[in-house]
């Protein structure tokens, strides 16, 4: 619990009945403690020994009192008493006296529990899972739920739960009377009934749903059924009719959809990982998850598992849109990590600790870089774009605005699912259309990038479109929120390099996490970049961001230090007092620095400037060199400095050059 909501003397929780009062010295005590202290002579503050003057006339601390009344809920039986427990099902509050007569297992102890966050998250999750059942007016109230008191949050959540008790017709929005066993649709009296429609009041409904669900499940590739549905199928008898109808609809969707989700990362024939886009998986026309790579499909005409013959020309590649975890079906981004199991299936980092959907338990070391699926990493790097509101992977796209949205931000919007559209084709065609519109404003550098557009990742294509869109307005204009930025120039150094980010944002007018890097000269700001390589390399140079608009700027110094703190050994020193000019300066060391495998190193440098170009956190690239060498970034043991651009988000160090 927040200590500001406790009395500092008795340590009891402050409530609307145990109101806090402000002393002359500024400290606040509950009314009981103040009454006890005021009986003493002299009356002194227990925290600072300041004499309390006229305790009866002291005012209440209305700031704390307002917070208290906003957060607390009342006992349903004793309305003047603050509730200490909350029923998970009925959402009724109970005080300590009432809970002694109830079953503790159904209640949440509200002490040290963030009730506000729990209620908001539950309401949003229910709304997302049941969008058709929640009225528009109630959906709008849920969106504003963060600002309401806990009492109002509970009332809204009760309204949401009440909406779920009625099964609505998907076509007319009326109360449902029948269910169509062919497609799982709920029908009302206004709908045209078919021979496969069964009344929701039928006594045989539950049994018929059981038979229908198990029949569909037997015809669906089991590896395409998400883990949570597989678990529900095992206890299908215990489910109510609404839950069974929901499971039926999900199974029918899986059965009727041409799957664009690939859950396996290795070929069933050669056991090698697929690669994008050169060696994609092919699904064979036989039972089970029998998938082979394009190379094996060209060199064989039989399934390596059951021997069934196939004709290569009749096979189709997986039209992979996004890299999904085979268990939770969430996108495997850089945070969740696509972990490759020994069975060939790919899980996110969270699901890799659970039992695999193949039925086996695989011991996977999620910290081992070799456990990460390279194929899924390729898919993520090449195909995924980011939500316009944050850095999470986008699952939906708005072609008219050329913006991506995650599944939460997509609620209530008429958007296209990325897995159902040709996103790459849309991005390419829109970039060419925009280039024709701007005509002679297309610079030679942009024309060169347009010619190389097919090799760009989807994220880089989208960024390139926004760059073309903003050529008609000054990029550095004050308040230019839509300026996505300039692409970092190709390096002049002909050696391996890693590139932390794909673009820089040259807008000096707004100091925020997505604008140019502000260097505080008054604080003598020093940048620290901590990294390690998974192979032994020789660091030969770096790329440093330059001041925007070609203003004066100097790289004061740059050191490479072995270890993750300033106590390490100095390995190399870049030439000092280097003038920074352009967008990015490629700077080489006099002597290469040996970077030992799995050994942490610091790059410590100081730039004398106000604003410099910076990496764009919306298109952060993986730390992987041109030759495949993988890197990892850490927070340096250097408090008070700007480590990796504050929180490993961005900063002036753009590239590392190295050789092996």
């Amino acid at each position: 619990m927040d200590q500001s909501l406790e009395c500092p003397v008795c340590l009891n929780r402050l409530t609307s009945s145990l109101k806090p009062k402000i002393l002359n010295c500024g400290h606040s005590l509950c009314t009981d403690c103040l009454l006890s202290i005021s009986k003493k002579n002299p009356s002194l503050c227990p925290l600072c020994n300041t004499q309390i003057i006229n305790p009866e006339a002291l005012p209440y601390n209305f700031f704390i009192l307002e917070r208290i009344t906003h957060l607390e809920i009342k006992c349903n039986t004793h309305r003047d008493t603050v509730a200490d427990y909350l029923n998970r099902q009925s959402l009724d509050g109970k005080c300590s006296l009432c809970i002694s007569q109830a079953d503790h297992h159904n209640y949440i102890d509200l002490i040290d529990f963030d009730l506000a966050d729990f209620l908001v998250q539950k309401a949003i999750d229910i709304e997302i899972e049941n969008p058709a059942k929640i009225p528009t007016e109630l959906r709008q109230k849920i969106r504003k739920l963060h600002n309401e008191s806990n009492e109002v949050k509970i009332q809204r959540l009760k309204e949401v739960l009440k909406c779920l008790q009625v099964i609505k017709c998907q076509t007319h929005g009326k109360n449902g009377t029948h269910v169509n066993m062919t497609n799982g649709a709920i029908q009302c009296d206004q709908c045209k009934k078919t021979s496969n429609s069964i009344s929701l009041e039928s006594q045989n409904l539950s049994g018929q749903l059981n038979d229908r669900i198990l029949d569909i499940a037997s015809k669906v590739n089991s590896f395409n059924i998400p883990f949570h549905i597989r678990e529900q199928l095992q206890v299908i008898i215990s489910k109510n009719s609404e839950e069974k109808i929901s499971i039926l609809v999900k199974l029918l969707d899986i059965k009727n959809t041409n799957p664009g989700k690939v859950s396996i990362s290795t070929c069933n024939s050669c056991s090698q990982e697929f690669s994008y886009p050169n060696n994609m998986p092919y699904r064979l026309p036989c039972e089970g998850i029998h998938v082979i790579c394009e190379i094996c499909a060209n060199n064989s005409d039989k399934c390596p598992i059951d021997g069934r013959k196939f004709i290569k020309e009749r096979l189709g590649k997986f039209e992979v849109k996004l890299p999904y975890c085979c268990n939770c079906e969430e996108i495997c981004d850089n945070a969740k990590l696509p972990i490759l199991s020994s069975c060939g299936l790919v899980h996110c980092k969270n699901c890799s600790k659970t039992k695999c959907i193949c039925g086996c338990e695989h011991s996977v070391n999620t910290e081992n870089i070799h456990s990460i699926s390279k194929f899924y990493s390729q898919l993520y790097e090449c195909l995924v774009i980011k939500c316009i509101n944050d850095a999470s992977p986008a699952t939906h796209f708005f072609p008219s605005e050329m913006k991506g949205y995650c599944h939460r931000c997509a609620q209530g919007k008429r958007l296209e699912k990325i897995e159902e559209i040709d996103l790459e084709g849309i991005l390419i065609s829109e970039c060419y259309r925009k280039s024709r519109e701007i005509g002679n404003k297309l610079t030679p550098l942009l024309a060169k990038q347009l010619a190389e557009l097919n090799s760009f990742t989807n994220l880089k294509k989208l960024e390139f479109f926004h760059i073309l869109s903003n050529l008609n307005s000054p990029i550095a204009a004050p308040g230019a929120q839509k300026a996505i930025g300039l692409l970092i120039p190709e390096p002049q150094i002909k050696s391996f390099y890693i590139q932390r980010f794909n673009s820089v944002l040259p807008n000096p007018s707004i100091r925020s996490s997505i604008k140019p890097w502000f260097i505080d000269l008054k604080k003598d700001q020093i940048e620290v970049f901590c990294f390690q390589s998974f192979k032994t390399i020789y660091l030969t140079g770096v790329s440093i961001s330059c001041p925007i608009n070609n203003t004066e700027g100097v790289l004061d110094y740059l050191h490479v230090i072995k270890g993750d703190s300033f106590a390490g050994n100095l390995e190399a020193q870049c030439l000092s007092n280097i003038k920074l000019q352009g967008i990015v300066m490629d700077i080489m060391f006099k002597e290469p620095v040996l970077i030992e495998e799995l050994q942490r190193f610091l790059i410590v440098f100081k730039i004398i400037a106000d604003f410099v170009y910076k990496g764009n956190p919306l298109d952060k690239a993986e730390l992987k060199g041109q030759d495949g060498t993988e890197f990892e970034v850490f927070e340096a043991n250097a408090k008070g400095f700007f480590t990796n651009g504050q929180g490993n988000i961005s900063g002036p160090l753009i590239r590392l050059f190295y050789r092996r």
Side-chain angles (χ1 to χ4, degrees), residues 121-358:
Q121 193 61 48
K122 187 171 182 179
I124 292 176
D125 288 343
I126 293 175
E127 178 208 350
I128 291 174
E129 293 173 3
N130 307 273
K133 294 186 178 182
I134 312 299
T136 303
E137 183 180 353
L138 185 54
R139 289 162 67 94
Q140 293 174 350
K141 291 180 180 179
I142 293 173
R143 290 292 178 240
K144 302 175 182 178
L145 207 56
H146 297 82
N147 301 323
E148 304 287 356
S149 67
N150 279 354
E151 287 279 7
V152 175
K153 289 186 178 76
I154 289 177
Q155 183 60 36
R156 292 285 178 267
L157 186 52
K158 285 183 177 180
E159 294 175 17
V160 171
L161 293 173
K162 187 176 181 180
C163 293
L164 302 184
Q165 296 175 1
V166 179
I167 305 179
K168 296 286 187 179
C169 169
Q170 289 100 328
T171 305
H172 303 100
K174 298 181 178 180
N175 291 354
T177 57
H178 292 74
V179 57
N180 188 322
M181 299 295 279
T182 302
N183 56 19
I186 302 298
Q187 301 173 324
C188 64
D189 291 331
Q190 192 174 341
C191 297
K192 183 179 180 180
K193 298 180 179 61
T194 65
S195 58
N196 290 327
S197 297
I198 299 176
S199 172
L200 293 174
E201 304 296 330
S202 172
Q203 295 181 350
N204 299 326
L205 177 62
S206 181
Q208 289 177 303
L209 285 172
N210 286 348
D211 296 339
R212 176 65 172 156
I213 288 171
L214 296 177
D215 177 58
I216 296 296
S218 65
K219 297 177 181 179
V220 176
N221 187 327
S222 60
F223 284 94
N224 287 334
I225 301 177
F227 182 68
H228 66 281
I229 296 183
R230 290 163 63 97
E231 283 187 323
Q232 292 175 356
L233 289 175
Q234 296 176 3
V235 291
I236 191 66
I237 296 177
S238 64
K239 302 293 182 181
N240 60 41
S241 296
E242 186 176 4
E243 291 172 329
K244 291 178 182 179
I245 293 172
S246 175
I247 295 172
L248 174 61
V249 171
K250 291 176 182 177
L251 286 175
L252 288 169
D253 286 341
I254 296 171
K255 179 176 180 293
N256 298 329
T257 302
N258 183 21
K261 297 179 182 179
V262 56
S263 57
I264 193 167
S265 184
T266 56
C267 173
N268 287 147
S269 179
C270 65
S271 299
Q272 299 297 314
E273 271 207 89
F274 308 120
S275 65
Y276 180 88
N278 301 319
N279 192 23
M280 291 291 286
Y282 280 76
R283 185 191 296 277
L284 301 184
C286 44
E287 298 299 326
I289 189 73
H290 299 179
V291 178
I292 61 176
C293 64
E294 185 173 3
I295 295 174
C296 291
N298 290 328
N299 297 327
S300 175
D301 62 351
K302 291 183 180 180
C303 172
I305 297 177
D306 61 14
R308 181 179 296 188
K309 287 192 175 183
F310 63 85
I311 300 175
K312 193 267 177 181
E313 286 71 24
R314 295 183 180 177
L315 299 181
K317 290 183 183 179
F318 271 105
E319 293 185 1
V320 181
K321 305 294 183 182
L322 296 173
Y324 288 94
C325 167
C326 69
N327 187 1
C328 66
E329 293 196 311
E330 293 290 334
I331 298 174
C332 290
D333 58 10
N334 291 337
K336 292 184 178 179
L337 295 179
I339 306 299
L340 177 60
S341 301
S342 57
C343 64
L345 295 174
V346 180
H347 308 74
C348 66
K349 188 175 182 180
N350 297 333
C351 294
S352 63
K353 300 176 183 178
T354 62
K355 190 173 182 179
C356 180
I357 64 172
C358 73

